[in-house]
Amino acid sequence: MKKSFKYIGALALVLATAAGCNEKNFLKQTDPNKITDATFWKDESSVSQALAATYSPLRSSLYGYWGSFLGIQDINALGDDVFTLPGEEPGTWAVATFANDENNGDLSSIFGSLYQCIHRSNLLIAKIGGVNMDANKKTLYIAEAKFLRGLSYYLLASNWGGVPVRTTPLETTDGYDTPCSSKADVWKQVVADFTDAIPGLPVTRDPKEQGRVTSGAAVAYLGKAYMFAEDYTKAEATFDILTKAPYNYDLVANYEDNFTDKNEYNVESVFEWTFAPIGDQYGAWNTETPNSPMYNYLPQFIGPPAGGGWFKYVPSNYLVNEFLKEARPAGSDTKFDKRMYASLMWKRSSLGESDTTWYDGKTFDQLWNSALSKTVRLYPDTQLDTVTHGRFLIKKGTSAWRNVANADNYWGPTPSTANYRVLRFAEVLLLRAEAAAQNGNNGKALTDINRIRQRAGLNDKTVADLPGKDQLLAEIDHQKLLELFFEQNRVYDLRRWNKSAGTLSAILKTRQKQGANVFQAKHYVFPIPASELKSNPKATQNDLWK
């Protein structure tokens, strides 16, 4: 049975914060009948519970950054690889179409969750010194808390830019009043936390601790932080670490194994969230209770109605066209890129292959027809092309691979427990290829690109095909789009690679991104939430949003 790191228990008072957008209300809780700060921090068991609670805001089933609603849904909606269906959650639609503002509830909730994680990390780091436990274990717990704090600031910096930086627990309401640091200083905190975390974290985890962070994850995120800072020399050197002993990362042979429960914690997984059949299956909207659900609810949001899903996206025309740019060599067992079969569903005969079925025998026509009442909402504003190559649905992230009836329905008999892979070695290779190309190490970049292409069943590229930096970066762009489709990466790449708002706006318009006609420079970041500005008088709105 899959082991789990259960995320919240008796810490409701000591570590949980109020449901608002920040941790300020935490300071006002004084119920004498519950566990207090003074009585909680006793031994390693209490520290372990505190650490579990520190993970919780990031992975909670719907509201965490990698939950299936706010984080995954909204961040994916910003890319050029999907069309978001109108008429669903207003908060998501506002984000997807660049109509969000400082009062967007989805973004405020994500912002608050990240600061909950930061506050709990700070609390653990501050309190562990007084706990009677093994010194080596203390080092491990501190490193883990610093990773989680660094990860939270990584997400804040990459989404909001300059935000308040707090590295000590709040003891008074006055302590909450913190000005926003510059974006550069937030990134410095990210680098410091990941750098500090690496030596204290293990390379691998015991099976009963799988799902907890390793040093490899800290190294990978440190490399990503350097990419955002455009320090390509440090980024390349950092990613190099993950290709050598003691690390043993590689690509799994079957790309789809990264999105099912068949081969979890595999050699490609650098960081993943654990899900398991634990807690209240039907309580997805309840978090941080003793019976909180540990299921993966992502399939519910993506899958077509005929598979039990709520169906909130379709692949964009741009993504489909990019997948079909390059067929596999003659004689291959599939006509197209192997990743396409794990990422999308379509009527195979429309592209010259034998048809297949999903969800216990349902044909693609049945799946499409079940979704038709929602796809028509796209028109006339979004012209979904169902003629040039046919019709497509998203498979990645659903439970279609199981071929079980109603598999995407979390109220059904078999809700998903597939782990969510947050960061894969494939991404590390593509990031290293980008850094190497920027540094003039074209041979290394080409080698990493070809490792990705080989797994996809495509021919290697040669120096003649990709003779210089521009050609290498164009191929990396193409491969990242296909390899990491719908994995919350696309919007960050678009922002990193296109510094001019005019340039990015033109690209988004060409690719028919919803809302591209109103895209402005301010949309490179989210505005600081109004709730934060109200409760933290020293915080100021991002200059782009003033």
Side-chain angles (χ1 to χ4, degrees):
M1 174 179 287
K2 184 188 297 184
K3 302 292 184 181
S4 71
F5 188 33
K6 192 128 185 193
Y7 289 95
I8 194 74
L11 305 184
L13 174 65
V14 177
L15 293 168
T17 62
C21 199
N22 57 65
E23 68 266 36
K24 190 171 187 177
N25 288 335
F26 163 80
L27 299 167
K28 300 177 181 178
Q29 300 190 49
T30 57
D31 185 346
N33 298 313
K34 294 184 179 180
I35 297 172
T36 66
D37 181 85
T39 62
F40 176 75
W41 301 94
K42 293 181 178 180
D43 52 27
E44 184 181 348
S45 176
S46 63
V47 175
S48 179
Q49 292 179 68
L51 183 64
T54 305
Y55 276 85
S56 179
L58 294 180
R59 58 79 43 213
S60 59
S61 55
L62 293 181
Y63 291 109
Y65 190 85
W66 283 283
S68 304
F69 177 30
L70 299 184
I72 292 178
Q73 180 164 307
D74 288 359
I75 303 304
N76 274 323
L78 283 164
D80 57 3
D81 50 353
V82 297
F83 290 144
T84 303
L85 292 171
E88 300 294 301
E89 289 79 13
T92 297
W93 182 245
V95 171
T97 57
F98 307 109
N100 60 280
D101 59 23
E102 63 186 25
N103 295 302
N104 185 285
D106 287 14
L107 301 181
S108 295
S109 182
I110 296 171
F111 189 90
S113 293
L114 295 174
Y115 274 103
Q116 284 180 352
C117 184
I118 290 166
H119 175 65
R120 296 176 189 185
S121 298
N122 289 339
L123 193 61
L124 188 153
I125 293 167
K127 299 296 182 182
I128 195 171
V131 178
N132 184 21
M133 59 182 289
D134 179 78
N136 291 328
K137 287 292 187 70
K138 284 185 179 181
T139 298
L140 172 60
Y141 282 114
I142 291 171
E144 206 158 348
K146 284 193 173 184
F147 171 86
L148 293 170
R149 186 175 69 186
L151 182 58
S152 296
Y153 279 123
Y154 169 93
L155 296 171
L156 287 163
S158 55
N159 284 299
W160 279 271
V163 297
V165 173
R166 304 184 183 98
T167 56
T168 57
L170 303 180
E171 302 293 346
T172 67
T173 53
D174 290 340
Y176 184 80
D177 299 345
T178 308
C180 292
S181 296
S182 69
K183 183 177 181 179
D185 282 344
V186 181
W187 280 117
K188 287 180 182 177
Q189 182 61 47
V190 172
V191 169
D193 277 341
F194 288 144
T195 301
D196 288 349
I198 290 168
L201 292 170
V203 173
T204 59
R205 288 283 187 177
D206 184 273
K208 68 177 179 294
E209 293 183 340
Q210 285 181 319
R212 292 175 62 177
V213 67
T214 62
S215 61
V219 172
Y221 272 106
L222 177 60
K224 290 188 73 172
Y226 287 137
M227 294 297 288
F228 272 94
E230 298 184 22
D231 190 335
Y232 299 116
T233 299
K234 286 184 179 178
E236 183 180 351
T238 302
F239 293 130
D240 281 347
I241 295 170
L242 298 177
T243 66
K244 307 170 186 176
Y247 299 104
N248 192 36
Y249 295 113
D250 202 350
L251 301 179
V252 294
N254 181 10
Y255 174 76
E256 192 166 25
D257 278 359
N258 292 301
F259 316 107
T260 75
D261 63 9
K262 292 180 178 179
N263 189 10
E264 295 175 327
Y265 310 112
N266 59 52
V267 294
E268 189 168 341
S269 181
V270 179
F271 185 44
E272 68 184 84
W273 289 127
T274 300
F275 293 100
I278 296 172
D280 178 12
Q281 172 184 339
Y282 309 105
W285 303 98
N286 297 317
T287 59
E288 303 206 325
T289 67
N291 200 32
S292 293
M294 292 288 291
Y295 294 87
N296 181 351
Y297 294 101
L298 182 58
Q300 182 73 65
F301 288 81
I302 308 170
W310 286 335
F311 185 58
K312 297 179 183 292
Y313 313 87
V314 290
S316 69
N317 302 331
Y318 174 67
L319 176 88
V320 171
N321 290 336
E322 289 295 299
F323 255 126
L324 293 173
K325 269 186 174 180
E326 184 178 6
R328 292 184 64 197
S332 299
D333 56 353
T334 63
K335 186 174 180 181
F336 302 105
D337 188 318
K338 290 181 180 180
R339 297 169 295 191
M340 185 171 165
Y341 300 83
S343 300
L344 305 177
M345 295 182 285
W346 70 98
K347 190 170 184 176
R348 302 279 177 84
S349 58
S350 66
L351 294 178
E353 294 183 291
S354 298
D355 284 328
T356 188
T357 61
W358 300 268
Y359 301 105
D360 196 24
K362 285 190 167 54
T363 65
F364 181 80
D365 285 337
Q366 289 176 302
L367 301 182
W368 183 262
N369 289 337
S370 75
L372 194 57
S373 64
K374 286 195 173 185
T375 58
V376 296
R377 299 179 193 167
L378 290 165
Y379 304 96
D381 295 332
T382 304
Q383 295 295 316
L384 178 64
D385 184 358
T386 60
V387 176
T388 303
H389 301 299
R391 304 158 297 168
F392 293 82
L393 296 170
I394 296 175
K395 182 182 180 186
K396 182 189 284 189
T398 73
S399 293
W401 59 272
R402 295 168 56 202
N403 205 14
V404 173
N406 209 33
D408 291 335
N409 188 348
Y410 74 70
W411 285 291
T414 55
S416 176
T417 59
N419 287 354
Y420 184 76
R421 281 68 160 187
V422 176
L423 201 159
R424 300 189 283 115
F425 187 60
E427 182 183 354
V428 170
L429 288 175
L430 288 168
L431 286 167
R432 188 174 76 154
E434 180 184 346
Q438 293 284 4
N439 294 331
N441 296 325
N442 293 3
K444 181 192 286 188
L446 185 61
T447 297
D448 286 346
I449 289 169
N450 282 333
R451 287 184 69 177
I452 299 295
R453 290 179 57 84
Q454 288 159 12
R455 204 252 304 265
L458 304 174
N459 285 335
D460 284 359
K461 290 289 187 179
T462 66
V463 173
D465 297 322
L466 307 175
K469 182 174 80 171
D470 290 346
Q471 293 80 13
L472 286 164
L473 293 178
E475 177 64 14
I476 290 165
D477 178 0
H478 177 66
Q479 290 304 323
K480 288 200 79 176
L481 174 71
L482 305 185
E483 178 71 28
L484 302 173
F485 163 64
F486 210 64
E487 294 183 51
Q488 284 183 298
N489 276 277
R490 191 61 185 169
V491 63
Y492 304 120
D493 287 339
L494 291 171
R495 291 171 179 170
R496 285 195 305 110
W497 295 336
N498 302 283
K499 298 295 190 297
S500 161
T503 300
L504 182 51
S505 175
I507 289 172
L508 295 177
K509 288 175 182 176
T510 298
R511 296 173 185 175
Q512 301 172 285
K513 172 72 184 81
Q514 292 158 307
N517 59 316
V518 300
F519 181 85
Q520 302 173 48
K522 67 181 183 179
H523 295 117
Y524 277 81
V525 293
F526 298 138
I528 302 297
S531 53
E532 173 71 14
L533 297 174
K534 181 179 179 180
S535 59
N536 178 4
K538 291 186 178 179
T540 54
Q541 186 55 270
N542 189 297
D543 287 343
L544 292 170
W545 282 88
K546 288 180 179 177

